Amino acid sequence: MRRQSWRQWLLWMGALVGATLLLLLARDRMDKAHVALVYLLVVLGASAAAGRAVGLTTAGVAFVVFNYFFLPPYHTLIIADPLDFLVLVTFLPTGIVAAQLLHRARSTAEAALARALEVDRLATLGAETLAAPSAKDALQAIAEVIRLSLAADAVELYRRESSGTLHRTTVAPQDRTASTAGNTLTGWFGKTVHLAVQLPDGTTRLDPASLIGLDLKVLYRTLDVGDRIVGVLCVRYATSEALTADSARLLDALSYYAALGVERVRLEATAERAEAERRMELLRSALLMSVSHDLRTPLTTIKALAHEIQATDANSAARIIENEADRLDRLVGDLLEQSRIHAGAVQPVPAVNTVDELIGGALQQAQGALASHPVDVRLPDEMLIASFDLTQSTRILVNLLENAAKYSPESAAIEISARRDAEHVIIEVADTGAGVAAGERDRIFEPFYRPASTPPDARGTGLGLSIARGLADAQGGTLEYRPRTGGGAVFVLALPAAEGPPG
């Protein structure tokens, strides 16, 4: 570029010398206006072809040469005729103004061309992004466009996880050796640091005031969607590069595309994971339902035969067989119920009922499990009325009471309390057992999940709480866990409150 600039200087100074020699050959037959026009032509050519500096210099040199060779007395800088002074003075500002106007027009044209190229590049980027078969392909196209637009050696795009960890998602060119920037950057970018640059001397600046004119080797920039940081853009140069104002503005626009691309990759991965989980859940529900139906028939036969044997021989093992068959039948029933809840086949029939009736029915059904535990029931003086399916809600409460009895020490009291809270009636079942560890408080409602603290000899399949929460949700209620003050567990059942009289 510098060599080309010197060639322009030499070319137009040579053109000025050549025009002067030609004019000297015809000096006696030419008017001063003719000389001025020829020199103006040279100045305009220099300004248009080589820029403002060459044009202004050419105008200044032409001003001196004009005076020296073509205004009497010749070969001096003295001007004898006042009219000649007017011609000379008019020539100089005309040349300067012409050089300035050409420079302005040229700058405007170059800026318009740059804008057109930028718009064309962004339009191409948008089309490639939309046409890409997958989110990763679109992100790869975005990274390649950023690399080419900023004349960078490499571009890397990182996805930011909810934990703040960065994972490199895309690199351009694709065959570039993997870097460890994702590990070293972890924790840098967050609410305080959004931009970082590495200078050629190896030092790093965080959030520099401006990138324009800054000689940088590596640039890191957060990718934002709304007020959320979704990733980090890394631009690397083999040596170093100073960004111009146009490059910085283009970087802003391309960063927005990169942020959308990273977010699209995340959403696509989330959608694929959700679809896989949905398919797995459907398959599991279908399998459970099929197996459960197939188990019910032989269980009924085994139980009937055991009952007949027990009727003729009371000392046989038939009673044990019948009890185990009952237990297995309850397990199959839970599997069927779990499958029906996930399939949306359970349709509770809410009606206005009293909480006293619900708690009384649950205590009666769970009296066997509660035989060795005193139960402390605390109800307000006012009658609590709620809208719920009495059968399904009783099943929820019985499950909670049986769990409380199973995990509480022998003879430990179990508390049942109820109250009105805004639009819900809250029923709490509290025990004095070991409680649930903090990391397992949501997982205990997952099917087949058993906390690590569960005794090895404790019976159960881990379906009870899952079914209970499913039944609560189906009625517009909720079932949550919270630790009990002083130790133990509290299960909180919320059901929609009602104002009318019980049905």
Side-chain angles (χ1 to χ4, degrees):
M1 185 70 182
R2 181 170 296 178
R3 180 178 298 177
Q4 184 180 1
S5 177
W6 276 110
R7 286 179 179 176
Q8 294 286 347
W9 281 92
L10 293 175
L11 174 65
W12 289 103
M13 287 302 108
L16 184 62
V17 172
T20 302
L21 293 176
L22 291 175
L23 289 172
L24 284 174
L25 293 176
R27 183 172 64 183
D28 296 338
R29 299 190 301 275
M30 296 185 67
D31 187 72
K32 302 176 184 63
H34 298 149
V35 177
L37 289 174
V38 172
Y39 279 139
L40 276 178
L41 184 62
V42 175
V43 170
L44 289 174
S47 301
R52 180 172 55 181
V54 177
L56 292 176
T57 304
T58 305
V61 174
F63 173 80
V64 175
V65 173
F66 188 9
N67 183 13
Y68 190 81
F69 288 109
F70 298 100
L71 295 180
Y74 299 135
H75 306 134
T76 69
L77 296 179
I78 299 172
I79 301 174
D81 189 346
L83 292 178
D84 291 344
F85 181 79
L86 179 62
V87 172
L88 190 62
V89 170
T90 305
F91 166 77
L92 184 60
T94 302
I96 294 174
V97 170
Q100 289 285 7
L101 290 177
L102 283 173
H103 171 72
R104 186 176 302 175
R106 185 177 181 179
S107 300
T108 304
E110 290 176 349
L113 180 60
R115 298 285 189 281
L117 291 175
E118 186 176 319
V119 171
D120 183 62
R121 191 179 292 115
L122 293 177
T124 303
L125 178 59
E128 289 180 352
T129 304
L130 292 175
S134 68
K136 288 188 175 180
D137 291 336
L139 196 60
Q140 183 65 43
I142 294 171
E144 192 63 34
V145 169
I146 294 175
R147 187 180 72 85
L148 296 175
S149 301
L150 300 180
D153 180 60
V155 168
E156 299 172 7
L157 292 171
Y158 295 86
R159 188 178 74 248
R160 188 173 187 269
E161 304 295 343
S162 56
S163 61
T165 305
L166 296 176
H167 294 288
R168 195 173 73 169
T169 305
T170 303
V171 59
Q174 286 182 298
D175 56 351
R176 182 180 173 82
T177 304
S179 72
T180 58
N183 296 329
T184 58
L185 284 172
T186 301
W188 267 37
F189 292 96
K191 295 181 180 179
T192 55
V193 177
H194 294 269
L195 183 67
V197 293
Q198 183 181 343
L199 304 181
D201 60 2
T203 59
T204 300
R205 291 188 187 179
L206 303 181
D207 285 330
S210 175
L211 291 176
I212 300 173
L214 192 62
D215 200 19
L216 53 88
K217 190 170 183 179
V218 185
L219 180 146
Y220 303 104
R221 177 196 176 102
T222 57
L223 302 174
D224 305 323
V225 174
D227 57 353
R228 189 165 54 87
I229 297 174
V230 299
V232 172
L233 165 67
C234 173
V235 181
R236 298 179 181 275
Y237 292 97
T239 54
S240 63
E241 184 76 15
L243 291 184
T244 64
D246 290 340
S247 298
R249 187 178 61 254
L250 184 60
L251 176 64
D252 290 339
L254 294 176
S255 297
Y256 179 69
Y257 275 93
L260 294 180
V262 171
E263 182 67 356
R264 183 183 166 189
V265 169
R266 187 188 68 80
L267 293 176
E268 191 171 276
T270 302
E272 289 177 354
R273 188 164 55 250
E275 177 63 17
E277 291 177 353
R278 188 186 69 82
R279 289 177 180 273
M280 186 178 67
E281 190 61 36
L282 287 176
L283 181 61
R284 184 169 62 180
S285 297
L287 180 63
L288 287 177
M289 189 170 291
S290 175
V291 171
S292 301
H293 277 298
D294 290 343
L295 287 175
R296 269 275 166 89
T297 302
L299 274 177
T300 303
T301 303
I302 292 172
K303 185 177 177 182
L305 291 174
H307 189 74
E308 289 180 7
I309 296 173
Q310 188 181 355
T312 58
D313 185 0
N315 295 324
S316 69
R319 182 173 182 78
I320 299 175
I321 295 174
E322 186 175 6
N323 289 339
E324 291 301 316
D326 287 339
R327 178 168 168 263
L328 196 54
D329 187 63
R330 285 195 297 273
L331 171 59
V332 172
D334 286 345
L335 289 172
L336 276 172
E337 192 67 15
Q338 179 70 26
S339 301
R340 293 178 66 234
I341 290 174
H342 275 272
V346 175
Q347 300 293 334
V349 183
V352 177
N353 296 288
T354 65
V355 173
D356 296 43
E357 186 179 7
L358 170 62
I359 294 177
L363 287 173
Q364 186 176 7
Q365 291 188 26
Q367 59 182 340
L370 299 172
S372 60
H373 296 276
V375 179
D376 183 9
V377 180
R378 300 175 183 177
L379 298 176
D381 294 335
E382 62 174 340
M383 179 178 290
L384 296 178
I385 302 172
S387 177
F388 56 86
D389 185 311
L390 183 59
T391 301
Q392 303 293 5
S393 298
T394 302
R395 188 174 180 187
I396 297 172
L397 206 52
V398 168
N399 181 280
L400 299 181
L401 289 171
E402 289 178 345
N403 270 356
K406 184 188 302 180
Y407 293 105
S408 294
E410 191 75 19
S411 303
I414 296 172
E415 299 175 0
I416 303 177
S417 61
R419 55 187 166 82
R420 174 76 179 262
D421 182 9
E423 298 180 353
H424 291 88
V425 169
I426 308 298
I427 303 172
E428 296 182 350
V429 177
D431 62 54
T432 55
V436 179
E440 298 179 309
R441 289 172 185 172
D442 284 332
R443 299 204 64 190
I444 58 174
F445 294 101
E446 296 178 4
F448 304 107
Y449 184 79
R450 290 166 65 86
S453 58
T454 303
D457 58 344
R459 291 189 170 188
T461 59
L463 284 172
L465 288 177
S466 175
I467 293 174
R469 172 172 273 188
L471 294 175
D473 293 343
Q475 300 180 75
T478 60
L479 177 61
E480 305 289 345
Y481 167 87
R482 65 175 171 81
R484 180 176 181 271
T485 304
V490 180
F491 286 89
V492 184
L493 172 65
L495 296 171
E499 301 295 342

